[in-house]
Amino acid sequence: DAGITQSPRHKVTETGTPVTLRCHQTENHRYMYWYRQDPGHGLRLIHYSYGVKDTDKGEVSDGYSVSRSKTEDFLLTLESATSSQTSVYFCAIGLGVENEQFFGPGTRLTVL
Amino acid sequence: QKEVEQNSGPLSVPEGAIASLNCTYSDRGSQSFFWYRQYSGKSPELIMSIYSNGDKEDGRFTAQLNKASQYVSLLIRDSQPSDSATYLCAVLGSSGSARQLTFGSGTQLTVLP
């Protein structure tokens, strides 16, 4: 798992509540990513980071924000969760010039 | 919109056979290609990377790349029931999205004992 942990691993919340997912890595990698995975859509990039306080949007960023105040932590926030954000969320790190990506164990989020 | 298409599954092969998984991509400038294996309920696991035209072999796995045809494939020889999983093709973007991977929707492989 390349030293990547995600918390929580499972969460059930209600529509309209804020939710923050945490990705933690232990090896000071520069690039970190948040994806969501849904049946029929595969893995889609939400946001990524290329350093502390340096982030950019991915394909499906609407409704999500991120922060990276320390190299080891990359936070994904749903400001006001909606049922369409029910998904499995994966964090990944990118290594090397070719950006080989390695994934954390995932967080299963259910928004009721 | 950069696209990565995989052959629709599910794909079933008998144990010991060769499984062939295919992927096409739309970004002609892409230079790096990856295959991930994902077991049900688990996270994707990188199993092959390929950057040059031709074949790359790693144990029972062979990745094939043809940039002119914008095609990448994965062959699994002597398939085992433990190979049953969903296989994801991923392509690294070029230019402005050079650090972003685009994934196909995956091909589910079942190896029958």
Side-chain angles (χ1 to χ4, degrees), chain A residues 43-62:
Chain A
L43 280 159
R44 293 180 292 174
L45 181 65
I46 304 171
H47 282 279
Y48 67 102
S49 170
Y50 44 97
V52 173
K53 292 185 169 44
D54 291 324
T55 65
D56 206 348
K57 296 179 179 180
E59 177 189 355
V60 290
S61 60
D62 288 349

Side-chain angles (χ1 to χ4, degrees), chain B:
Chain B
Q1 179 82 6
K2 299 181 177 62
E3 295 183 349
V4 176
E5 301 285 344
Q6 295 186 239
N7 50 331
S8 59
L11 175 66
S12 293
V13 300
E15 184 173 358
I18 296 175
S20 176
L21 305 166
N22 303 314
C23 175
T24 59
Y25 59 94
S26 64
D27 185 354
R28 186 170 288 278
S30 296
Q31 299 294 323
S32 304
F33 307 87
F34 308 91
W35 283 99
Y36 287 81
R37 177 177 63 199
Q38 186 175 25
Y39 293 114
S40 180
K42 301 297 185 183
S43 58
E45 174 192 7
L46 180 64
I47 57 172
M48 288 289 283
S49 308
I50 187 166
Y51 312 114
S52 304
N53 280 330
D55 295 357
K56 178 182 177 181
E57 187 174 318
D58 183 0
R60 295 185 296 110
F61 297 97
T62 299
Q64 300 175 316
L65 175 62
N66 184 326
K67 291 182 182 178
S69 300
Q70 297 177 239
Y71 174 91
V72 59
S73 66
L74 179 71
L75 301 178
I76 306 174
R77 292 183 302 280
D78 187 24
S79 295
Q80 301 297 309
S82 58
D83 295 326
S84 298
T86 296
Y87 290 80
L88 304 171
C89 173
V91 177
L92 189 65
S94 60
S95 63
S97 58
R99 302 301 298 191
Q100 300 182 36
L101 286 181
T102 299
F103 285 82
S105 57
T107 299
Q108 184 177 344
L109 171 67
T110 300
V111 181
L112 304 171

Side-chain angles (χ1 to χ4, degrees), chain A residues 85-106:
Chain A
Q85 294 175 312
T86 292
S87 187
V88 180
Y89 291 85
F90 289 104
C91 173
I93 58 163
L95 300 182
V97 174
E98 303 297 348
N99 196 31
E100 292 188 341
Q101 293 189 17
F102 297 88
F103 286 80

